[in-house]
Structure formats: C-alpha cells, structure tokens
Amino acid sequence: MPENHFRLEDRLTAWHVGIALGALFLGSWFGPLQVLEHAGINLYGKLAPGIQSYYQGLTLHGVLNALVWTTFFIVGFLTFATVQSLKAKLSIPWLNIAGFALMAVGLVMAAVPLLLNAASVLYTFYPPLGANPFFYIGLTLVVVGSWLEGYGLFFSLAAWRKAHPGARTPFIAFAAVLTMAMWQIASLGIAAEMLFLLIPWSLGLASGTDALLARTLFWFTGHPIVYFWLLPAYLSWYGMLPKQAGGKVFSDPLARLAFWLFLILSIPVGLHHQFADPGIPAAWKGVHAILTYAVTFPSLLTAFTVIASLELGGRARGGTGLFGWIATLPWRDPSFSAQAAALVIFALGGVGGIINASYNVNLVVHNTLWIVGHFHLTLGVAVTLSFIGITYWLIPRLSGNQLWSPRAANFQVWLWLAGMLPFSLSHHYIGIRYGIPRRTMLGAAPYLSPEWNPWLILAAIGGVLLWLSLMLYFVIVLGTVFASQKTAEPVEMPVAEALRDSEETPAWLDRWTPWLVATVILIAIAYGPPLLYLVRNADLSSPFLRVW
Ligand code: HAS
C-alpha cells in the first residue's frame, strides 16, 4: 500500500484530535480554580470580567472537558481506527468532511455564548437555567456532525462487507462502527430535547418549558454518552493494548459479545440519574436500576478478557507465577502504562457506579461530591488517561515524529494518578460522609464546616497535581509535533491478534439486524411508557432563568 494511502483520513483525524486537545487544554485551567475555591482560595475574582463567576468556570470545565474533548477525540480516533482496521479508505469521504465542518461550526457557535457568560448552565443545561440560543444550536450541530461522520463509517464498513462476503469484520472496525451506531440511537434524546424544547424556548417561541421532560430526554442521551466515551477506550484495551503488551486477544467472541451487550443495554438505563426526581413513576426507576446492573455485565466481561489478554503478554515476556506476569508488562512504555493504569483504576470507578445505581443508596450520594469523585475515576481516568495513552502512539503516527521524551510521558501518567487518587477519594469520602453538595461555590457557603477542610485541601492538592500533569502532557504533545526527530518508519496502529483465528468467531456475533432490533425493543419497553406519560402530561410552564 503506498505510504500516503490514508492521507485524507490521517488529516481528518489530526484535525479532530487537535481540536479535542485544544478543548482539554482550555477546560483544564478551571479544574484547579474550582478545588481551590472549595478550599478557601477564590481566584475567580481575579479573572473578572473575562470569567464572571464560579459557575461560568464550572460550565466551561464541564462542556470543554466532558463534551468537546471526548466527542472530537472519539470521532477522529474511530475514523482512524476504522479505515486502518479495514485497510480501506472512507467510501464517501465528503460525508466525513461535511460532518467535521458541521462539528467545528457548531463548536464555535456554542463557544461564543459560553465565553460571554450567556450560557452558564453547566454541562447538563437543565432548565429552568436558560442559555443563549446559539449555545443550544451549536451543540446540536456538533451532534448532527457526529451523525454524518458516523454514517461515513457505516457506509465504509458496508462497502468492505460487500467486497468480503462471509468474512468476519476485523474487531477494531467492528467495535468502532458499533460505538457510532450506539451513539446515533442514544443521541436522539438530546436531539429531541434541543429541537422541541430548548431551542424554541430560548428563541422566545415558547413561553415556558417542561423541566422534567427536558431532564428525561437529556438522560436518555446522558447515560449512554458515558459508554460513548468508554467504548473507544475498551476498543483500545481489547484490540490494541494486548499487542502493545506482547499478548493476544484472549477471546474474540467474548470481546464482540461485550460490545453487542453495550449496544443493547447502554440506553435503557437513564432514569438512574433521576431517582430523586418527582413525577416519574417509581416502578420505572426500578426497571432502570435493574437494567443498570445488567449493563455492568459487559464491563465485568471486559475485566476478565482484557486482563487474560494482558496475562498472555506478561507470560510471553517471561513472567511466571500467579502475579509475576504483571511486573514483566511494558510499564516503561507510556502508551501502555497509561491505559493499564486506567484499566486498574476503572475497577474502583465501576464499584462506585454500582453503588450509585442502587436506588436507595443513590439517595445518600445523589448530588453530593461523591458523584464528582465517581466521574473523575471513570471519565477522568478510565477514559481520559486511556485517550492520553492512545495519543502517545497516535500523535507520532500523525505527525511523523518520535514521541518527545517517553520518560517524561511515563512520569506524566503517574503524576496523573498521584493527583487523581487524593482528588477522587477525598471527594467520594466527604460526599458520602457529610453529604456536601456538588456544583456549589462552597467557599462562600455559610454552612461550610471546619471538619470538611482537611479533605477539601487534600482534594485541592490533587486537583493542582492533575493540572500539572496535563501541562506536562501538552509540553510532550507540542514537543512531539514541533521539536522531535522524524520516525524512521510511519508508526503503525497496534492491532492485537486473537488467540484463536477470528474467522472461527460465530457468525451471529457479526450480524447487525438481530442486535439492532433487540436494542430498539428494549428501549421501547424501558422508555416508552414513562416518556409517553411525561409527554401527555407535559406542562410548559418552566420560566427561562439566567442567574449568574
Ligand atoms: Fe457513572 C453518574 C452509574 C460507569 C460517568 N457517571 C455519573 C456521572 C458521570 C458518570 C459523568 O446509577 C455524573 C453525571 C452528572 O453530572 O449528573 N456509572 C454507573 C454505573 C457504571 C458507570 C453502574 N459512569 C460510568 C462511566 C463513566 C461514568 C464508564 C464515564 C466514562 N453513574 C452511575 C449512576 C450515576 C452516575 C447511577 C448517577 C448518580 C447520581 O445520583 O447523580 C458502570 O458502567 C460501571 C461498570 C464497571 C465495572 C468495573 C469493571 C472493571 C474493569 C477493570 C478491571 C480491573 C481490575 C484490576 C480488576 C463493573 C473493566 C486488575 C489488575 C491488574 C494489575 C491487571
């Protein structure tokens, strides 16, 4: 294959990753500001009038780091992974180019009101908090752009399947396209919320909106979005990390089964974010709680399969004994160490998730700092640290330059953990012990108790270390792109072989229709009645409030 065969796809990926990194960089500055504010050092006053309040900073942090960094990185990475895995170019490239253009335009539209303090509605944008219409329209365009890019990947896979009748789809392309398919269905909730409720409301076309219906449509997308973030990391843990460790995929069928289960189970669980909301019948919350336990199952499969795959690598590298293989894994390779650390820490984040999902226990932790601890272990470590690990080979590939200082990169990974553990564990502890509310300017709260201080200070130290780790990361990224030597050969995407030939994987694990039908049926059962009830009783009386 000629060297520049994937030039367009590489460029498209580079643009997505570049914007994602820009968002991560900007968003990360607000993290320390928040924890420092909680610990009694309020630097927000010094940023006025540029940044006008703690809540504007919190919104920027959430939107840039949870929504923009993830979405842009994922779409770029999955495009790269699909074409490399199929060894085929995009079949309708203009679709992906148009999708990217729409995402970029949408981002600019949303960013302007965010920066002007006209959209300080936090990353969940619950009414009655109201934002400038451009914020909602911009975010909608980002989602629609990602749909177009998803279609680009579906058509590319369809063309490949047509050209290879009867062959099993390569695992990486399968996992990438499935992730985009899940996202297409999942994001219908937020699309409906934007089109029917928030955009007309913000344009003044409706005098009020229904806050509960809006929240329910939001969480239809809001929970599966966490699997939209997680599955690209899983794709790498299953399909790439074993190769980096010198091992093989322990079971190709189990890997595919885990992804199919995520397609079916990621969406009909959103009511577990609304256990405390009045107006939704408790029985339906119970159904979603049970389905949430079900969606932990593919993660448990993943824990087993990925660790078995790494064990194969550790043993192939000379490791012996029950745990001796762990020490022989390539911990000096920052791409490996970042992702392996992310995997290990996800065990803690997952346990926290199961606690959250338990209906009655949720009432203790809901809206407390515990939840902030939870999503920094999951989104902040399992996902973000994995993506950082991926960039440690992807950026050298895209730039054609060697990774600038692998030692510094490895240090960056451990610094991330050194910051995240005190940050996250203290948030968990004070959330459950004292019920301290999240999304609150605690430094100004009259009820702040001196008992909380040591933990808030510990969290602040963790937050500052996290920021330092990210700054080092950006030095490494810039060093790689602008100040590093060329690689002798283009860096190849790591592709792990399966222990048994993947052509032996049963054909039912490569058929889309039954799984898609099952997905739609389960969503209809779990969401149909409660949504119908809310739509029938919709009450468009919620005012449009701007409070900060
Ligand atoms: Fe969550 C709230 C439940 C996973 C992100 N979650 C959030 C929010 C975010 C978030 C951002 O049920 C806050 C939203 C907001 O702003 O309001 N979550 C779960 C459950 C899981 C889960 C059951 N969450 C995630 C992931 C996220 C994420 C993944 C981001 C990427 N979450 C909840 C609930 C709430 C919630 C409620 C609402 C709370 C409330 O009241 O507001 C599960 O998917 C977790 C399953 C995972 C496992 C772990 C598998 C372990 C693996 C690693 C094994 C490694 C080992 C070490 C054993 C069961 C794969 C081996 C050692 C070696 C050396 C090799």
Side-chain angles (χ1 to χ4, degrees):
M1 209 171 279
E3 202 186 300
N4 64 354
H5 187 68
F6 291 110
R7 209 159 88 191
L8 170 78
E9 289 78 0
D10 280 7
R11 280 201 178 159
L12 211 66
T13 304
W15 274 101
H16 284 87
V17 172
I19 293 182
L21 289 173
L24 183 66
F25 178 76
L26 288 179
S28 67
W29 283 78
F30 297 98
L33 290 182
Q34 275 139 228
V35 271
L36 286 172
E37 193 284 332
H38 290 172
I41 306 169
N42 185 2
L43 299 176
Y44 274 105
K46 301 201 178 355
L47 299 179
I51 299 298
Q52 294 182 25
S53 72
Y54 167 89
Y55 296 98
Q56 188 187 2
L58 183 56
T59 308
L60 280 161
H61 182 62
V63 171
L64 291 173
N65 287 6
L67 303 182
V68 181
W69 146 245
T70 50
T71 309
F72 276 82
F73 180 84
I74 290 166
V75 176
F77 172 56
L78 295 186
T79 305
F80 182 88
T82 305
V83 296
Q84 289 290 328
S85 169
L86 296 177
K87 299 190 173 60
K89 292 167 73 65
L90 288 168
S91 60
I92 313 178
W94 64 262
L95 206 52
N96 293 70
I97 296 171
F100 170 69
L102 217 51
M103 285 177 73
V105 169
L107 177 60
V108 174
M109 277 175 91
V112 173
L114 265 176
L115 291 170
L116 295 177
N117 195 31
S120 297
V121 289
L122 311 187
Y123 81 121
T124 43
F125 40 87
Y126 295 148
L129 293 180
N132 180 289
F134 280 106
F135 173 73
Y136 301 122
I137 297 169
L139 285 189
T140 308
L141 291 184
V142 172
V143 172
V144 174
S146 73
W147 286 350
L148 290 189
E149 297 215 57
Y151 278 116
L153 300 190
F154 304 153
F155 289 127
S156 301
L157 176 61
W160 183 92
R161 283 168 70 102
K162 209 169 159 198
H164 300 80
R168 295 287 170 276
T169 308
F171 171 75
I172 291 178
F174 156 80
V177 174
L178 185 146
T179 304
M180 291 307 277
M182 190 279 282
W183 172 238
Q184 300 268 341
I185 307 171
S187 47
L188 291 175
I190 229 171
E193 182 195 9
M194 291 292 192
L195 289 181
F196 300 122
L197 296 174
L198 299 187
I199 293 177
W201 180 58
S202 64
L203 287 169
L205 301 176
S207 58
T209 195
D210 184 324
L212 181 60
L213 180 58
R215 285 164 71 93
T216 309
L217 290 171
F218 178 85
W219 285 116
F220 182 100
T221 305
H223 191 74
I225 207 175
V226 312
Y227 299 119
F228 177 59
W229 300 334
L230 183 69
L231 291 186
Y234 273 19
L235 175 159
S236 177
W237 297 356
Y238 274 112
M240 300 177 180
L241 199 59
K243 167 82 175 177
Q244 292 173 289
K248 293 190 172 184
V249 183
F250 178 73
S251 167
D252 183 76
L254 273 186
R256 287 175 203 250
L257 181 64
F259 273 80
W260 285 124
L261 290 175
F262 273 114
L263 176 69
I264 296 185
L265 293 166
S266 289
I267 300 164
V269 295
L271 293 187
H272 71 219
H273 288 265
Q274 295 179 272
F275 287 146
D277 283 15
I280 297 174
W284 288 107
K285 294 178 182 170
V287 169
H288 282 231
I290 292 165
L291 287 170
T292 306
Y293 291 133
V295 77
T296 63
F297 180 66
S299 282
L300 295 171
L301 275 185
T302 303
F304 171 75
T305 316
V306 172
I307 290 169
S309 308
L310 297 185
E311 184 180 347
L312 291 173
R315 294 201 185 283
R317 300 165 70 90
T320 51
L322 196 55
F323 297 114
W325 57 271
I326 297 175
T328 54
L329 289 169
W331 294 104
R332 284 173 197 275
D333 169 1
S335 176
F336 175 85
S337 62
Q339 297 184 68
L343 170 80
V344 173
I345 298 296
F346 188 47
L348 297 179
V351 171
I354 294 171
I355 292 172
N356 297 345
S358 309
Y359 197 157
N360 49 351
V361 187
N362 178 272
L363 302 179
V364 180
V365 296
H366 182 62
N367 269 340
T368 69
L369 288 182
W370 166 281
I371 303 300
V372 180
H374 166 67
F375 67 69
H376 279 82
L377 287 185
T378 48
L379 175 57
V381 183
V383 171
T384 294
L385 194 55
S386 291
F387 290 179
I388 285 176
I390 292 167
T391 59
Y392 281 147
W393 63 259
L394 184 60
I395 293 180
R397 154 65 194 226
L398 297 174
S399 64
N401 291 345
Q402 293 171 14
L403 181 65
W404 185 84
S405 184
R407 281 183 80 177
N410 227 354
F411 178 71
Q412 182 273 319
V413 169
W414 300 115
L415 188 58
W416 187 257
L417 293 185
M420 192 58 94
L421 289 174
F423 175 90
S424 178
L425 297 179
S426 58
H427 273 84
H428 274 96
Y429 178 71
I430 46 181
I432 202 162
R433 172 83 174 82
Y434 303 111
I436 304 179
R438 66 188 274 217
R439 303 179 146 186
T440 302
M441 205 175 155
L442 289 175
Y447 49 82
L448 186 93
S449 155
E451 259 185 299
W452 305 352
N453 273 337
W455 300 101
L456 292 173
I457 291 169
L458 186 64
I461 293 171
V464 171
L465 291 179
L466 281 170
W467 177 81
L468 285 173
S469 171
L470 262 191
M471 292 306 118
L472 176 58
Y473 173 62
F474 287 109
V475 169
I476 295 163
V477 169
L478 294 176
T480 304
V481 176
F482 297 110
S484 202
Q485 290 181 345
K486 288 275 163 217
T487 50
E489 295 288 325
V491 173
E492 295 292 336
M493 176 174 91
V495 181
E497 264 177 61
L499 195 55
R500 292 178 61 164
D501 186 358
S502 56
E503 289 305 318
E504 291 176 26
T505 296
W508 58 272
L509 287 171
D510 206 16
R511 276 199 201 110
W512 282 78
T513 314
W515 299 100
L516 284 170
V517 170
T519 305
V520 173
I521 292 177
L522 197 59
I523 294 172
I525 294 173
Y527 260 119
L531 262 181
L532 205 65
Y533 173 81
L534 289 178
V535 171
R536 276 204 180 143
N537 295 291
D539 175 8
L540 301 178
S541 62
S542 185
F544 184 94
L545 297 182
R546 281 226 182 130
V547 282
W548 299 301

